[in-house]
Amino acid sequence: HSDVDVVVASLVPAYGCQRRTPLTNKNCIFTDALETLSKEASFCGSDGRSLAFIRAASVLRSLPSTLTTIEELNRLPGFGEHSKRVVQEILEDGFSAEVERVTQKEKYQTMKLFTNIFGVGMKTANRWYQEGLRSLGDLRNSQKLKLSKQQEAGLQHYEDLNMPVSRAEADLIAKMVEEVAHSFLPGTIITLAGGFRRGKLSGHDVDILITHAQEGREEGLLSKVIGQLQSQGLILYHDLKRNSYHDAFSPDSKSTSNMDHFERSFSIFRLKVASHIGDIGARDHSPESSKDWKAVRVDLVVTPISQYPYALLGWTGSKHFERELRRFSCNEKKMVLNSHALYDTVEVQVAISQS
Ligand code: CTP
Ligand code: MN
Ligand code: MN
Ligand code: MN
């Protein structure tokens, strides 16, 4: 038994980016619980605790089969005391009392609801909660609430945006974007990234990278594409951000975020879907039941071809995989990886000291 244990333990590497992870998660009973606790920790502002639960969940996701014993758990990397206790509880009782308690909490439920609105982050959700707001109705009816354009769109299309996007819908949107892009710039390369590139069958949005084999030709394309789609009535919301790569690396830059600096648009598309006429039981003809479109979140990102490999890697995800890849680069290789480049920090230091 014990020789096998050692082999098994060595098969689960410590960095998430070193592990193969099957598409279907055999351990969702545990990972769902850990992810709930991760969310709860982040709602309380404890980012470190939140990440610890994500780490533990990520290890279980990589296993080819369902965890059945505590001995197996003890051989896995990445588990702190708290995560171990939760998994142990589920192994013994079939559920975790702590997790049940968390999901019953009014604050947890409200924060989850609010942060699921496009454009609403932890800070805003928390402020609304402190102000006594509890439901989407509360937000919609509030007189004094000042919503950003993005939040207004997020609230307006809440139901659609919280419905999963299918692979077929994602392909359709990529094709729409490709057609319009080609009408302005033949040879534009459109790539479906995000969860769909990892083989997922559904997702919460559509992530699209846009580039061109000739460096520089991609500049200015996005606003034309968006403008064209908008004139066709296919855009419900968009927020074009210009490329800020050079600002970010200029000496007087105040930017400290890990966000990338590509030209992009975080938008909402109006996607035609098969109408529901003829559905069994579709007797009433309320506007809702005859709605033949669906709001879909789309992230459009433009990259020069020279940075495309890094952008593709950075936008394929998952979020945790990317975080781990960057941690691995920094700690194990002394290199910096982001969505623009991979470079050697030692060489940069030498270059600086010589200049
Ligand atoms: N990403 C990024 N910068 C952002 C938003 C996202 O670099 N401002 C990257 C994330 O790191 C992730 C990828 O884009 O690797 C996709 O992010 P997202 O769409 O949020 O998640 P998915 O993995 O695609 O999952 P889902 O199906 O829920 O969309
Ligand atoms: Mn017990
Ligand atoms: Mn996505
Ligand atoms: Mn996205």
Side-chain angles (χ1 to χ4, degrees), residues 174-202:
K175 205 160 160 28
M176 268 163 62
V177 172
E178 187 174 59
E179 258 168 40
V180 175
H182 281 174
S183 76
F184 292 111
L185 182 64
T188 304
I189 302 162
I190 302 289
T191 312
L192 197 53
F196 291 112
R197 186 158 184 268
R198 305 198 303 275
K200 278 175 60 177
L201 300 174
S202 71

PDB file of all heavy atoms in Angstrom, residues 174-202:
ATOM      1  N   ALA A 174     -18.851  34.132 -32.893  1.00  0.00           N
ATOM      2  CA  ALA A 174     -17.509  34.241 -33.483  1.00  0.00           C
ATOM      3  C   ALA A 174     -17.613  34.437 -34.996  1.00  0.00           C
ATOM      4  O   ALA A 174     -16.880  35.222 -35.597  1.00  0.00           O
ATOM      5  CB  ALA A 174     -16.684  33.003 -33.147  1.00  0.00           C
ATOM      6  N   LYS A 175     -18.556  33.740 -35.609  1.00  0.00           N
ATOM      7  CA  LYS A 175     -18.753  33.833 -37.059  1.00  0.00           C
ATOM      8  C   LYS A 175     -19.267  35.217 -37.463  1.00  0.00           C
ATOM      9  O   LYS A 175     -18.818  35.795 -38.450  1.00  0.00           O
ATOM     10  CB  LYS A 175     -19.745  32.750 -37.505  1.00  0.00           C
ATOM     11  CG  LYS A 175     -19.579  32.342 -38.952  1.00  0.00           C
ATOM     12  CD  LYS A 175     -20.201  30.978 -39.196  1.00  0.00           C
ATOM     13  CE  LYS A 175     -20.503  30.705 -40.656  1.00  0.00           C
ATOM     14  NZ  LYS A 175     -19.721  31.333 -41.665  1.00  0.00           N
ATOM     15  N   MET A 176     -20.220  35.739 -36.650  1.00  0.00           N
ATOM     16  CA  MET A 176     -20.733  37.091 -36.879  1.00  0.00           C
ATOM     17  C   MET A 176     -19.595  38.103 -36.869  1.00  0.00           C
ATOM     18  O   MET A 176     -19.483  38.968 -37.751  1.00  0.00           O
ATOM     19  CB  MET A 176     -21.704  37.483 -35.741  1.00  0.00           C
ATOM     20  CG  MET A 176     -23.157  37.179 -35.999  1.00  0.00           C
ATOM     21  SD  MET A 176     -24.085  37.222 -34.424  1.00  0.00           S
ATOM     22  CE  MET A 176     -23.856  38.926 -33.928  1.00  0.00           C
ATOM     23  N   VAL A 177     -18.755  38.004 -35.842  1.00  0.00           N
ATOM     24  CA  VAL A 177     -17.634  38.941 -35.690  1.00  0.00           C
ATOM     25  C   VAL A 177     -16.659  38.775 -36.848  1.00  0.00           C
ATOM     26  O   VAL A 177     -16.173  39.751 -37.422  1.00  0.00           O
ATOM     27  CB  VAL A 177     -16.915  38.716 -34.337  1.00  0.00           C
ATOM     28  CG1 VAL A 177     -15.643  39.548 -34.248  1.00  0.00           C
ATOM     29  CG2 VAL A 177     -17.848  39.040 -33.176  1.00  0.00           C
ATOM     30  N   GLU A 178     -16.399  37.529 -37.231  1.00  0.00           N
ATOM     31  CA  GLU A 178     -15.453  37.252 -38.306  1.00  0.00           C
ATOM     32  C   GLU A 178     -15.919  37.855 -39.633  1.00  0.00           C
ATOM     33  O   GLU A 178     -15.143  38.499 -40.347  1.00  0.00           O
ATOM     34  CB  GLU A 178     -15.264  35.744 -38.458  1.00  0.00           C
ATOM     35  CG  GLU A 178     -14.177  35.367 -39.445  1.00  0.00           C
ATOM     36  CD  GLU A 178     -13.928  33.873 -39.453  1.00  0.00           C
ATOM     37  OE1 GLU A 178     -14.892  33.113 -39.740  1.00  0.00           O
ATOM     38  OE2 GLU A 178     -12.798  33.459 -39.156  1.00  0.00           O
ATOM     39  N   GLU A 179     -17.204  37.673 -39.922  1.00  0.00           N
ATOM     40  CA  GLU A 179     -17.740  38.187 -41.182  1.00  0.00           C
ATOM     41  C   GLU A 179     -17.586  39.703 -41.280  1.00  0.00           C
ATOM     42  O   GLU A 179     -17.130  40.228 -42.301  1.00  0.00           O
ATOM     43  CB  GLU A 179     -19.216  37.811 -41.323  1.00  0.00           C
ATOM     44  CG  GLU A 179     -19.413  36.627 -42.268  1.00  0.00           C
ATOM     45  CD  GLU A 179     -20.821  36.064 -42.192  1.00  0.00           C
ATOM     46  OE1 GLU A 179     -21.792  36.861 -42.096  1.00  0.00           O
ATOM     47  OE2 GLU A 179     -20.945  34.818 -42.222  1.00  0.00           O
ATOM     48  N   VAL A 180     -17.978  40.376 -40.206  1.00  0.00           N
ATOM     49  CA  VAL A 180     -17.871  41.844 -40.212  1.00  0.00           C
ATOM     50  C   VAL A 180     -16.406  42.269 -40.272  1.00  0.00           C
ATOM     51  O   VAL A 180     -16.048  43.181 -41.027  1.00  0.00           O
ATOM     52  CB  VAL A 180     -18.572  42.440 -38.968  1.00  0.00           C
ATOM     53  CG1 VAL A 180     -18.361  43.939 -38.908  1.00  0.00           C
ATOM     54  CG2 VAL A 180     -20.058  42.113 -38.981  1.00  0.00           C
ATOM     55  N   ALA A 181     -15.545  41.605 -39.518  1.00  0.00           N
ATOM     56  CA  ALA A 181     -14.116  41.953 -39.514  1.00  0.00           C
ATOM     57  C   ALA A 181     -13.527  41.782 -40.908  1.00  0.00           C
ATOM     58  O   ALA A 181     -12.789  42.637 -41.398  1.00  0.00           O
ATOM     59  CB  ALA A 181     -13.367  41.096 -38.501  1.00  0.00           C
ATOM     60  N   HIS A 182     -13.886  40.692 -41.593  1.00  0.00           N
ATOM     61  CA  HIS A 182     -13.365  40.431 -42.935  1.00  0.00           C
ATOM     62  C   HIS A 182     -13.839  41.473 -43.948  1.00  0.00           C
ATOM     63  O   HIS A 182     -13.138  41.773 -44.914  1.00  0.00           O
ATOM     64  CB  HIS A 182     -13.749  39.028 -43.399  1.00  0.00           C
ATOM     65  CG  HIS A 182     -12.864  37.981 -42.790  1.00  0.00           C
ATOM     66  ND1 HIS A 182     -13.077  36.627 -42.966  1.00  0.00           N
ATOM     67  CD2 HIS A 182     -11.776  38.084 -42.001  1.00  0.00           C
ATOM     68  CE1 HIS A 182     -12.141  35.963 -42.307  1.00  0.00           C
ATOM     69  NE2 HIS A 182     -11.344  36.816 -41.711  1.00  0.00           N
ATOM     70  N   SER A 183     -15.033  42.032 -43.703  1.00  0.00           N
ATOM     71  CA  SER A 183     -15.542  43.032 -44.631  1.00  0.00           C
ATOM     72  C   SER A 183     -14.691  44.308 -44.561  1.00  0.00           C
ATOM     73  O   SER A 183     -14.604  45.062 -45.510  1.00  0.00           O
ATOM     74  CB  SER A 183     -17.017  43.338 -44.350  1.00  0.00           C
ATOM     75  OG  SER A 183     -17.147  44.159 -43.210  1.00  0.00           O
ATOM     76  N   PHE A 184     -14.067  44.545 -43.403  1.00  0.00           N
ATOM     77  CA  PHE A 184     -13.181  45.707 -43.266  1.00  0.00           C
ATOM     78  C   PHE A 184     -11.722  45.363 -43.538  1.00  0.00           C
ATOM     79  O   PHE A 184     -10.975  46.157 -44.085  1.00  0.00           O
ATOM     80  CB  PHE A 184     -13.285  46.312 -41.853  1.00  0.00           C
ATOM     81  CG  PHE A 184     -14.602  46.960 -41.564  1.00  0.00           C
ATOM     82  CD1 PHE A 184     -15.471  46.401 -40.646  1.00  0.00           C
ATOM     83  CD2 PHE A 184     -14.962  48.136 -42.211  1.00  0.00           C
ATOM     84  CE1 PHE A 184     -16.696  47.002 -40.365  1.00  0.00           C
ATOM     85  CE2 PHE A 184     -16.184  48.747 -41.932  1.00  0.00           C
ATOM     86  CZ  PHE A 184     -17.061  48.172 -41.016  1.00  0.00           C
ATOM     87  N   LEU A 185     -11.333  44.171 -43.101  1.00  0.00           N
ATOM     88  CA  LEU A 185      -9.925  43.785 -43.179  1.00  0.00           C
ATOM     89  C   LEU A 185      -9.791  42.292 -43.466  1.00  0.00           C
ATOM     90  O   LEU A 185      -9.791  41.468 -42.549  1.00  0.00           O
ATOM     91  CB  LEU A 185      -9.219  44.142 -41.858  1.00  0.00           C
ATOM     92  CG  LEU A 185      -7.730  43.848 -41.767  1.00  0.00           C
ATOM     93  CD1 LEU A 185      -6.925  44.683 -42.761  1.00  0.00           C
ATOM     94  CD2 LEU A 185      -7.228  44.094 -40.342  1.00  0.00           C
ATOM     95  N   PRO A 186      -9.688  41.953 -44.752  1.00  0.00           N
ATOM     96  CA  PRO A 186      -9.537  40.537 -45.100  1.00  0.00           C
ATOM     97  C   PRO A 186      -8.295  39.960 -44.412  1.00  0.00           C
ATOM     98  O   PRO A 186      -7.300  40.674 -44.252  1.00  0.00           O
ATOM     99  CB  PRO A 186      -9.356  40.562 -46.620  1.00  0.00           C
ATOM    100  CG  PRO A 186      -9.958  41.855 -47.067  1.00  0.00           C
ATOM    101  CD  PRO A 186      -9.725  42.821 -45.945  1.00  0.00           C
ATOM    102  N   GLY A 187      -8.389  38.725 -43.987  1.00  0.00           N
ATOM    103  CA  GLY A 187      -7.250  38.093 -43.330  1.00  0.00           C
ATOM    104  C   GLY A 187      -7.237  38.245 -41.820  1.00  0.00           C
ATOM    105  O   GLY A 187      -6.354  37.726 -41.142  1.00  0.00           O
ATOM    106  N   THR A 188      -8.228  38.966 -41.287  1.00  0.00           N
ATOM    107  CA  THR A 188      -8.318  39.064 -39.827  1.00  0.00           C
ATOM    108  C   THR A 188      -8.489  37.673 -39.236  1.00  0.00           C
ATOM    109  O   THR A 188      -9.258  36.860 -39.750  1.00  0.00           O
ATOM    110  CB  THR A 188      -9.522  39.937 -39.419  1.00  0.00           C
ATOM    111  OG1 THR A 188      -9.408  41.208 -40.040  1.00  0.00           O
ATOM    112  CG2 THR A 188      -9.590  40.110 -37.917  1.00  0.00           C
ATOM    113  N   ILE A 189      -7.744  37.411 -38.157  1.00  0.00           N
ATOM    114  CA  ILE A 189      -7.828  36.098 -37.512  1.00  0.00           C
ATOM    115  C   ILE A 189      -8.656  36.219 -36.235  1.00  0.00           C
ATOM    116  O   ILE A 189      -8.350  37.023 -35.354  1.00  0.00           O
ATOM    117  CB  ILE A 189      -6.416  35.565 -37.180  1.00  0.00           C
ATOM    118  CG1 ILE A 189      -5.567  35.473 -38.462  1.00  0.00           C
ATOM    119  CG2 ILE A 189      -6.498  34.206 -36.481  1.00  0.00           C
ATOM    120  CD1 ILE A 189      -4.071  35.370 -38.196  1.00  0.00           C
ATOM    121  N   ILE A 190      -9.732  35.433 -36.182  1.00  0.00           N
ATOM    122  CA  ILE A 190     -10.658  35.444 -35.049  1.00  0.00           C
ATOM    123  C   ILE A 190     -10.518  34.118 -34.304  1.00  0.00           C
ATOM    124  O   ILE A 190     -10.637  33.059 -34.907  1.00  0.00           O
ATOM    125  CB  ILE A 190     -12.116  35.562 -35.559  1.00  0.00           C
ATOM    126  CG1 ILE A 190     -12.305  36.826 -36.406  1.00  0.00           C
ATOM    127  CG2 ILE A 190     -13.124  35.484 -34.421  1.00  0.00           C
ATOM    128  CD1 ILE A 190     -12.265  38.100 -35.636  1.00  0.00           C
ATOM    129  N   THR A 191     -10.248  34.183 -33.006  1.00  0.00           N
ATOM    130  CA  THR A 191     -10.085  32.933 -32.242  1.00  0.00           C
ATOM    131  C   THR A 191     -10.976  32.914 -31.010  1.00  0.00           C
ATOM    132  O   THR A 191     -10.993  33.877 -30.239  1.00  0.00           O
ATOM    133  CB  THR A 191      -8.614  32.768 -31.776  1.00  0.00           C
ATOM    134  OG1 THR A 191      -7.753  33.021 -32.880  1.00  0.00           O
ATOM    135  CG2 THR A 191      -8.370  31.369 -31.251  1.00  0.00           C
ATOM    136  N   LEU A 192     -11.689  31.829 -30.850  1.00  0.00           N
ATOM    137  CA  LEU A 192     -12.517  31.621 -29.667  1.00  0.00           C
ATOM    138  C   LEU A 192     -11.590  31.180 -28.529  1.00  0.00           C
ATOM    139  O   LEU A 192     -10.928  30.144 -28.633  1.00  0.00           O
ATOM    140  CB  LEU A 192     -13.553  30.541 -29.983  1.00  0.00           C
ATOM    141  CG  LEU A 192     -14.774  30.381 -29.091  1.00  0.00           C
ATOM    142  CD1 LEU A 192     -15.506  31.702 -28.929  1.00  0.00           C
ATOM    143  CD2 LEU A 192     -15.699  29.320 -29.668  1.00  0.00           C
ATOM    144  N   ALA A 193     -11.508  31.978 -27.480  1.00  0.00           N
ATOM    145  CA  ALA A 193     -10.638  31.623 -26.342  1.00  0.00           C
ATOM    146  C   ALA A 193     -11.505  31.280 -25.128  1.00  0.00           C
ATOM    147  O   ALA A 193     -12.618  30.788 -25.296  1.00  0.00           O
ATOM    148  CB  ALA A 193      -9.687  32.781 -26.051  1.00  0.00           C
ATOM    149  N   GLY A 194     -11.010  31.517 -23.925  1.00  0.00           N
ATOM    150  CA  GLY A 194     -11.784  31.242 -22.707  1.00  0.00           C
ATOM    151  C   GLY A 194     -12.123  29.774 -22.553  1.00  0.00           C
ATOM    152  O   GLY A 194     -11.456  28.901 -23.106  1.00  0.00           O
ATOM    153  N   GLY A 195     -13.175  29.530 -21.808  1.00  0.00           N
ATOM    154  CA  GLY A 195     -13.586  28.156 -21.482  1.00  0.00           C
ATOM    155  C   GLY A 195     -13.846  27.288 -22.710  1.00  0.00           C
ATOM    156  O   GLY A 195     -13.545  26.091 -22.703  1.00  0.00           O
ATOM    157  N   PHE A 196     -14.383  27.881 -23.776  1.00  0.00           N
ATOM    158  CA  PHE A 196     -14.682  27.085 -24.977  1.00  0.00           C
ATOM    159  C   PHE A 196     -13.404  26.526 -25.604  1.00  0.00           C
ATOM    160  O   PHE A 196     -13.399  25.423 -26.121  1.00  0.00           O
ATOM    161  CB  PHE A 196     -15.485  27.903 -25.984  1.00  0.00           C
ATOM    162  CG  PHE A 196     -16.879  28.180 -25.513  1.00  0.00           C
ATOM    163  CD1 PHE A 196     -17.278  29.472 -25.179  1.00  0.00           C
ATOM    164  CD2 PHE A 196     -17.809  27.146 -25.380  1.00  0.00           C
ATOM    165  CE1 PHE A 196     -18.569  29.736 -24.724  1.00  0.00           C
ATOM    166  CE2 PHE A 196     -19.102  27.388 -24.927  1.00  0.00           C
ATOM    167  CZ  PHE A 196     -19.475  28.688 -24.597  1.00  0.00           C
ATOM    168  N   ARG A 197     -12.321  27.281 -25.523  1.00  0.00           N
ATOM    169  CA  ARG A 197     -11.051  26.784 -26.066  1.00  0.00           C
ATOM    170  C   ARG A 197     -10.525  25.618 -25.226  1.00  0.00           C
ATOM    171  O   ARG A 197      -9.748  24.804 -25.709  1.00  0.00           O
ATOM    172  CB  ARG A 197     -10.013  27.914 -26.150  1.00  0.00           C
ATOM    173  CG  ARG A 197      -8.743  27.460 -26.848  1.00  0.00           C
ATOM    174  CD  ARG A 197      -7.940  28.599 -27.414  1.00  0.00           C
ATOM    175  NE  ARG A 197      -6.800  28.054 -28.145  1.00  0.00           N
ATOM    176  CZ  ARG A 197      -5.597  27.844 -27.612  1.00  0.00           C
ATOM    177  NH1 ARG A 197      -5.360  28.179 -26.343  1.00  0.00           N
ATOM    178  NH2 ARG A 197      -4.632  27.323 -28.334  1.00  0.00           N
ATOM    179  N   ARG A 198     -10.939  25.560 -23.964  1.00  0.00           N
ATOM    180  CA  ARG A 198     -10.550  24.444 -23.107  1.00  0.00           C
ATOM    181  C   ARG A 198     -11.466  23.244 -23.296  1.00  0.00           C
ATOM    182  O   ARG A 198     -11.361  22.255 -22.584  1.00  0.00           O
ATOM    183  CB  ARG A 198     -10.574  24.877 -21.629  1.00  0.00           C
ATOM    184  CG  ARG A 198      -9.734  26.096 -21.314  1.00  0.00           C
ATOM    185  CD  ARG A 198      -9.428  26.223 -19.825  1.00  0.00           C
ATOM    186  NE  ARG A 198     -10.614  26.273 -18.967  1.00  0.00           N
ATOM    187  CZ  ARG A 198     -11.301  27.373 -18.694  1.00  0.00           C
ATOM    188  NH1 ARG A 198     -10.916  28.528 -19.222  1.00  0.00           N
ATOM    189  NH2 ARG A 198     -12.344  27.336 -17.897  1.00  0.00           N
ATOM    190  N   GLY A 199     -12.428  23.365 -24.203  1.00  0.00           N
ATOM    191  CA  GLY A 199     -13.303  22.232 -24.497  1.00  0.00           C
ATOM    192  C   GLY A 199     -14.605  22.231 -23.730  1.00  0.00           C
ATOM    193  O   GLY A 199     -15.397  21.290 -23.845  1.00  0.00           O
ATOM    194  N   LYS A 200     -14.850  23.272 -22.940  1.00  0.00           N
ATOM    195  CA  LYS A 200     -16.112  23.320 -22.195  1.00  0.00           C
ATOM    196  C   LYS A 200     -17.294  23.392 -23.167  1.00  0.00           C
ATOM    197  O   LYS A 200     -17.191  23.980 -24.239  1.00  0.00           O
ATOM    198  CB  LYS A 200     -16.127  24.540 -21.266  1.00  0.00           C
ATOM    199  CG  LYS A 200     -15.396  24.302 -19.955  1.00  0.00           C
ATOM    200  CD  LYS A 200     -15.316  25.560 -19.101  1.00  0.00           C
ATOM    201  CE  LYS A 200     -16.674  26.118 -18.718  1.00  0.00           C
ATOM    202  NZ  LYS A 200     -16.568  27.309 -17.837  1.00  0.00           N
ATOM    203  N   LEU A 201     -18.411  22.790 -22.774  1.00  0.00           N
ATOM    204  CA  LEU A 201     -19.586  22.757 -23.654  1.00  0.00           C
ATOM    205  C   LEU A 201     -20.488  23.961 -23.439  1.00  0.00           C
ATOM    206  O   LEU A 201     -21.362  24.242 -24.250  1.00  0.00           O
ATOM    207  CB  LEU A 201     -20.373  21.462 -23.423  1.00  0.00           C
ATOM    208  CG  LEU A 201     -19.556  20.191 -23.714  1.00  0.00           C
ATOM    209  CD1 LEU A 201     -20.333  18.946 -23.319  1.00  0.00           C
ATOM    210  CD2 LEU A 201     -19.141  20.146 -25.184  1.00  0.00           C
ATOM    211  N   SER A 202     -20.282  24.668 -22.327  1.00  0.00           N
ATOM    212  CA  SER A 202     -21.042  25.896 -22.100  1.00  0.00           C
ATOM    213  C   SER A 202     -20.197  26.856 -21.270  1.00  0.00           C
ATOM    214  O   SER A 202     -19.201  26.450 -20.661  1.00  0.00           O
ATOM    215  CB  SER A 202     -22.365  25.594 -21.402  1.00  0.00           C
ATOM    216  OG  SER A 202     -22.129  25.208 -20.074  1.00  0.00           O
TER     217      SER A 202
END
